[in-house]
Amino acid sequence: MTYHDLSNCCVSEASPCKESPRPQCQSPPVIDIPRMLPYESVKDYIQQAKAHMLQSQEMEADLSLTSHYVDVQLVERSILRCAKNTNKSLDKELAIVGDAERQKSSLGRSQIFEGPTEAKPKRTVLLLGNASMGKTTLIKKLCHDWSNDCLPQFDFVFLLDGKALSLNEPTFSLQTLLLELSSSAPYCLDPNSVFTQVLAAPKRVLIIFDGFEELRDYEVLLQTQEKDLATSLLKDSKKQIYTVRQLYSAILQRVVLPGCTLLISTRPRGNASQLLRRSDRLLEVCGFTSTDVETYVSQYFTDPALKASAMDRLKNSSYLLSLCWNPGLCRLVCLVIEQSKGSDDLPRTLTGLCRQVLWLKMECECRRAQTCDKLSSLAWEGHKFFSLSLSLPLPLFLFRFLCVILTDFLSLALWFSLYLTFPLSRTVAERTFLPQVLPSPSGPRGRRRPQREELELTQRFAIGLLFPSRTQLQRHLGSDVLSKDTVLAKRVSVTQHLEGHCNADLSPAQILDVYSGGMRLAGHLARKLPEVLTFRGVPLGPPDAFVVRKVLEQAGAEGKRFCLGLEDTGIQIAGLRAMMELSNINTYRACIADVINLWEELGQSGEEGLLEGAVSKFKINPLKATQVCHIEHLAKLVSIHMQRRLSHSVCVPSNVLECIYLFLTHYLKNKIGDRGAEQLAPALKTLPSLHRLSLYSNAISDGGAESLAAVLSHMTSLTDLDVKFNKLTDVGAQSLGASLKNCPWMKSLRMWNECIPYGVFERLQQQDHRILSQ
Ligand SMILES: Nc1ncnc2c1ncn2[C@@H]1O[C@H](COP(=O)(O)OP(=O)(O)OP(=O)(O)O)[C@@H](O)[C@H]1O
């Protein structure tokens, strides 16, 4: 009997998974298994493991995977290649792509471990996603898929939790770790046989790491293993003498089970250079689309009447609807809608939402006064949030979510009005609002510094708490005049701080923060906004885009107009459209492909006024292309320009796109290389108004130079070309030099680099004085 047979025997009776089509299933390799192995016990174990996973249906209390899971798409992310600085935090290293690119690189659950056809399977997959975007839920669903035989390439799936790192005793072996500590493992009757099989065919093993708080935890585990430890592990992985940390580290470093597949989930914060080097694929859970939100709501509310009214209420509450992009928040929104039973107004801010959820939970499950006291005092003493979750019957998810928001840095006391009793802190030196609203952090020494995500959220919450509506203020503080005065004083301080900023000081993130203070605070901000407002590099998810629009709208009411920069923000097309609906936008810049898609959408829906505005206000000069895809988008734009039509049915108004004046600045991060130059060349040929082109330091070698040389004589408006510090040798340089002879209109060609022999360069310069070295 071969292992193939064994695997086939294990097909469970459970129904096949619904969402993932089975054709993805590959036939497992045929592996001979030693005769003496008791097949039955291994086979039984696999069956039990599958059944065990199928039993853990819960996403969280009362919500099951089978009835409430929404099948979300994943997006393949890439890293900006930047030679100089590899020590950046991961979110800064990830290339931000537009909506169109995201669609192109999206994939389903069943494709996570597969590359393009013929490519090798992905052995180390990093699953990224911000707080409560659905990483753990996706992992649970994957485990279900495996139980339903939808991941036939794996015989074993082990789910390892970051929290197990707190087990410090050196009493584990690789065998006990996998068969006893993995949360997916059932009780094993014959651990030796199972473990022998795991060791015999590691390629058919999937190990999932989830539940780590941050990237740093992984990075520490990737520090080089002590030699003795590695040798000892390789000699005998059954000895129960290792700590969980040592074993995790050995798996991640592939000292043990080298051929297995690893799925590592994490939030994209902090430095991840080691992890990145070892990963074959970066995937991101990108949250719910608007259709996903509708699916979620319809699954959440089983009563048809409630379902319809919930969706109506949500649609009337645009900000809450935009928050539902985050699945965890979507769940909270549904909870609030469910509990409010149509009576109350829905919350208008994130702070309002979380406050209401907490309040609801406390009303339901705790004796309020006692719990408030307890929470406040525990939090103020600096206890970790997790310790609270042990002592209170609130759902773990809620705690985890609040934990992200509040963290140990900002104590829970903030929620319970303790913040009112603290004096304003002294300086306004920092460019955040935190000093204005919060007591100084006073946690024990040596604690990690709060991450940016936590600070941002904390800041938004702090502002949200300081600017509740009048009714809320009255409800929470009643006749407590002293507290009311403190709130008002802090509000004044924040407002003054905001007004004290000169325009250039305002960071895009601050604009997003301010909205949590409601429209009153947004009004102060609106007055201060600079005319050229750029968000480049700040990810704008749906709620952020909503906020930006609101603030711009408010500023418009005061007569302000803007030139809006939305490149590298990842804003969705719906968000872009919302900006176009504003009448106070002079010009805007955004991802070219998304802009074209928006034009198409507007053209197809016959919204000619909006289309005209969206086309005429679009600005690309100067274009800062940082990824190869930017060049493809440019080519698409050029083709629209030449054909004067968007799609079959949509023409571009004749007076626009007349003059694409283009100045491609050098490609700062991604090197376009020969491939990029090749793609760029045909597009360049058709640009009527390209005067200067800089492809400085772009890893272009002779192949790319040939492509450029071939189109140079067609670029009749080009006066200056800069291809300095590339990799051209004498071949590429001579080819460009020869082409220059056919371009009498050109003024300069800069192409020096150290791969061109000095003599060759000098001769070319003598032949044509327009060839410059600097
Ligand atoms: N695909 C989904 N379908 C339905 N609900 C989902 C989905 N993804 C997430 N949720 C809901 O959002 C909640 C939070 O998701 P989850 O715990 O998976 O996030 P996470 O990314 O692991 O967060 P963290 O980084 O905080 O650990 C889940 O408990 C569930 O209610």
Side-chain angles (χ1 to χ4, degrees):
M1 191 177 184
T2 63
Y3 195 70
H4 189 171
D5 304 326
L6 174 71
S7 178
N8 285 343
C9 295
C10 300
V11 170
S12 73
E13 283 144 33
S15 62
C17 57
K18 275 184 242 149
E19 294 85 353
S20 318
R22 291 198 58 179
Q24 303 288 347
C25 303
Q26 310 158 342
S27 44
V30 180
I31 300 167
D32 275 322
I33 184 168
R35 270 267 148 227
M36 71 290 284
L37 267 187
Y39 314 112
E40 287 306 321
S41 61
V42 179
K43 194 181 83 181
D44 286 351
Y45 176 79
I46 294 175
Q47 256 174 338
Q48 279 163 17
K50 289 187 172 181
H52 178 75
M53 279 193 188
L54 275 178
Q55 271 164 17
S56 20
Q57 290 277 352
E58 277 200 346
M59 283 200 291
E60 57 179 277
D62 303 330
L63 299 179
S64 96
L65 277 174
T66 17
S67 54
H68 290 85
Y69 183 79
V70 178
D71 197 16
V72 286
Q73 288 285 299
L74 294 146
V75 169
E76 181 135 30
R77 298 287 305 260
S78 58
I79 292 288
L80 290 167
R81 301 272 165 230
C82 179
K84 278 186 200 147
N85 188 357
T86 47
N87 228 9
K88 279 193 202 154
S89 106
L90 177 57
D91 57 335
K92 295 221 173 87
E93 286 198 67
L94 289 171
I96 302 182
V97 293
D99 222 1
E101 278 309 308
R102 269 200 303 270
Q103 311 290 341
K104 264 212 272 181
S105 51
S106 75
L107 44 92
R109 226 169 50 237
S110 58
Q111 296 160 296
I112 290 180
F113 304 105
E114 285 160 20
T117 356
E118 304 297 307
K120 280 201 223 145
K122 306 290 183 184
R123 289 277 177 220
T124 307
V125 178
L126 208 53
L127 179 66
L128 306 170
N130 284 335
S132 77
M133 283 299 266
K135 301 177 292 295
T136 302
T137 309
L138 179 90
I139 285 172
K140 286 184 183 167
K141 193 66 184 166
L142 271 175
C143 291
H144 260 218
D145 289 348
W146 177 70
S147 306
N148 285 326
D149 307 313
C150 291
L151 289 172
Q153 65 269 48
F154 302 118
D155 293 321
F156 298 95
V157 174
F158 299 107
L159 184 50
L160 298 177
D161 192 329
K163 289 179 204 75
L165 283 177
S166 60
L167 303 170
N168 291 324
E169 311 80 42
T171 51
F172 292 91
S173 66
L174 182 60
Q175 177 173 318
T176 54
L177 180 87
L178 297 179
L179 301 184
E180 289 171 27
L181 219 59
S182 157
S183 53
S184 58
Y187 177 70
C188 184
L189 281 171
D190 185 0
N192 285 337
S193 304
V194 172
F195 186 60
T196 307
Q197 184 53 43
V198 168
L199 290 182
K203 280 198 172 157
R204 300 190 51 78
V205 174
L206 168 64
I207 299 183
I208 305 175
F209 285 92
D210 186 28
F212 284 76
E213 295 240 331
E214 50 183 77
L215 273 168
R216 209 168 54 153
D217 298 333
Y218 291 108
E219 287 290 291
V220 172
L221 291 173
L222 288 169
Q223 279 159 14
T224 328
Q225 283 262 335
E226 299 150 41
K227 261 208 182 111
D228 293 350
L229 179 68
T231 325
S232 149
L233 266 165
L234 285 174
K235 227 165 82 194
D236 192 353
S237 52
K238 282 191 186 177
K239 272 193 200 155
Q240 290 183 242
I241 53 165
Y242 306 103
T243 61
V244 171
R245 178 171 294 279
Q246 286 169 330
L247 292 166
Y248 276 17
S249 168
I251 297 172
L252 284 166
Q253 296 190 32
R254 299 193 169 280
V255 172
V256 289
L257 299 174
C260 75
T261 300
L262 298 179
L263 176 64
I264 301 165
S265 102
T266 179
R267 294 186 197 150
R269 305 285 178 188
N271 181 302
S273 49
Q274 298 236 39
L275 205 51
L276 284 180
R277 249 189 295 132
R278 291 162 194 262
S279 304
D280 301 317
R281 170 170 263 175
L282 293 178
L283 292 177
E284 186 177 15
V285 272
C286 289
F288 285 168
T289 60
S290 47
T291 322
D292 292 339
V293 174
E294 291 202 22
T295 312
Y296 186 88
V297 172
S298 71
Q299 288 174 171
Y300 187 94
F301 295 94
T302 39
D303 177 336
L306 266 181
K307 196 180 293 190
S309 82
M311 207 54 227
D312 281 349
R313 292 185 75 194
L314 200 48
K315 281 183 178 155
N316 287 332
S317 183
S318 332
Y319 186 57
L320 277 200
L321 186 59
S322 73
L323 287 180
C324 288
W325 163 70
N326 178 312
L329 288 180
C330 187
R331 190 264 184 282
L332 293 190
V333 168
C334 288
L335 182 80
V336 165
I337 295 180
E338 183 185 29
Q339 299 289 326
S340 69
K341 302 201 173 62
S343 56
D344 281 335
D345 277 348
L346 292 177
R348 285 161 192 264
T349 61
L350 182 60
T351 320
L353 173 69
C354 287
R355 185 173 34 207
Q356 202 154 327
V357 169
L358 195 62
W359 205 250
L360 281 170
K361 287 290 165 189
M362 287 175 65
E363 274 180 346
C364 293
E365 301 177 42
C366 311
R367 275 176 295 144
R368 212 175 92 198
Q370 233 189 36
T371 312
C372 279
D373 284 352
K374 192 174 171 189
L375 281 174
S376 305
S377 58
L378 274 176
W380 197 244
E381 281 158 24
H383 278 246
K384 287 256 182 201
F385 215 98
F386 277 117
S387 64
L388 290 175
S389 67
L390 298 177
S391 57
L392 285 165
L394 299 190
L396 187 61
F397 157 66
L398 188 65
F399 272 103
R400 284 187 37 221
F401 183 72
L402 291 173
C403 180
V404 177
I405 294 160
L406 296 169
T407 68
D408 45 354
F409 166 73
L410 169 63
S411 79
L412 188 70
L414 197 67
W415 279 89
F416 298 99
S417 77
L418 267 182
Y419 72 103
L420 298 174
T421 64
F422 278 79
L424 274 179
S425 56
R426 328 71 285 224
T427 54
V428 186
E430 256 197 87
R431 285 178 50 182
T432 69
F433 302 117
L434 278 178
Q436 274 65 41
V437 285
L438 295 183
S440 320
S442 57
R445 263 189 208 187
R447 255 188 205 179
R448 69 180 176 83
R449 282 172 50 209
Q451 297 277 310
R452 189 153 55 87
E453 179 187 26
E454 295 162 3
L455 280 175
E456 278 171 13
L457 278 168
T458 308
Q459 185 156 302
R460 286 180 197 179
F461 266 85
I463 294 174
L465 283 167
L466 210 50
F467 287 82
S469 69
R470 203 163 292 171
T471 347
Q472 279 166 345
L473 195 65
Q474 184 59 32
R475 193 189 315 154
H476 295 311
L477 297 183
S479 56
D480 182 351
V481 180
L482 193 65
S483 298
K484 271 189 194 163
D485 284 350
T486 316
V487 170
L488 295 178
K490 288 190 179 189
R491 274 187 190 177
V492 171
S493 170
V494 169
T495 314
Q496 280 172 352
H497 175 65
L498 199 59
E499 287 179 340
H501 271 302
C502 65
N503 289 352
D505 276 350
L506 276 172
S507 72
Q510 278 178 318
I511 296 174
L512 302 179
D513 292 338
V514 163
Y515 186 71
S516 37
M519 285 322 289
R520 199 153 11 133
L521 195 56
H524 287 286
L525 176 81
R527 261 169 254 138
K528 288 280 160 186
L529 289 179
E531 189 190 335
V532 178
L533 189 59
T534 177
F535 288 87
R536 184 187 273 276
V538 178
L540 293 179
D544 305 317
F546 179 92
V547 169
V548 172
R549 190 197 134 113
K550 274 282 172 203
V551 173
L552 294 181
E553 201 174 3
Q554 176 99 6
E558 304 193 14
K560 296 205 71 160
R561 302 185 65 81
F562 297 98
C563 300
L564 196 56
L566 298 170
E567 312 112 300
D568 291 342
T569 59
I571 189 168
Q572 294 185 355
I573 294 180
L576 205 54
R577 184 199 157 97
M579 304 297 170
M580 288 306 98
E581 287 165 357
L582 295 172
S583 57
N584 57 328
I585 303 298
N586 285 339
T587 61
Y588 74 102
R589 311 164 60 84
C591 166
I592 299 176
D594 292 344
V595 168
I596 295 174
N597 284 351
L598 174 69
W599 293 348
E600 301 257 6
E601 223 177 88
L602 294 173
Q604 268 149 16
S605 56
E607 292 164 277
E608 279 173 23
L610 267 187
L611 173 64
E612 180 101 27
V615 177
S616 60
K617 290 175 189 171
F618 179 52
K619 198 166 173 263
I620 53 169
N621 168 36
L623 176 68
K624 193 168 177 180
T626 50
Q627 297 162 48
V628 170
C629 69
H630 293 162
I631 295 165
E632 292 163 7
H633 303 161
L634 179 66
K636 206 168 163 193
L637 189 69
V638 170
S639 122
I640 291 172
H641 171 69
M642 300 309 285
Q643 295 170 9
R644 304 221 162 270
R645 52 190 322 115
L646 284 165
S647 58
H648 295 305
S649 53
V650 185
C651 291
V652 183
S654 59
N655 58 337
V656 293
L657 290 180
E658 279 293 279
C659 170
I660 299 179
Y661 169 78
L662 187 66
F663 172 38
L664 290 168
T665 59
H666 57 259
Y667 295 78
L668 284 174
K669 288 162 186 160
N670 261 18
K671 306 276 179 193
I672 68 164
D674 283 348
R675 199 179 129 232
E678 229 170 80
Q679 280 172 331
L680 184 63
L684 292 174
K685 212 160 87 171
T686 54
L687 287 176
S689 316
L690 176 65
H691 300 303
R692 297 168 64 199
L693 175 62
S694 170
L695 295 171
Y696 172 100
S697 184
N698 259 294
I700 297 172
S701 59
D702 292 337
E706 297 280 357
S707 309
L708 293 172
V711 294
L712 207 58
S713 64
H714 299 275
M715 297 162 69
T716 49
S717 58
L718 188 74
T719 53
D720 303 279
L721 175 62
D722 185 349
V723 282
K724 268 195 327 249
F725 298 114
N726 280 288
K727 295 182 179 164
L728 324 190
T729 68
D730 50 337
V731 179
Q734 280 168 2
S735 170
L736 272 174
S739 199
L740 184 66
K741 289 203 183 86
N742 303 323
C743 308
W745 56 87
M746 276 192 68
K747 291 184 189 150
S748 70
L749 170 60
R750 290 175 168 83
M751 62 175 175
W752 189 84
N753 78 64
E754 56 196 18
C755 304
I756 307 174
Y758 186 70
V760 174
F761 193 76
E762 205 178 35
R763 201 178 58 248
L764 286 171
Q765 276 191 308
Q766 281 162 3
Q767 285 167 2
D768 195 327
H769 293 301
R770 293 173 298 167
I771 297 179
L772 307 174
S773 50
Q774 286 306 316

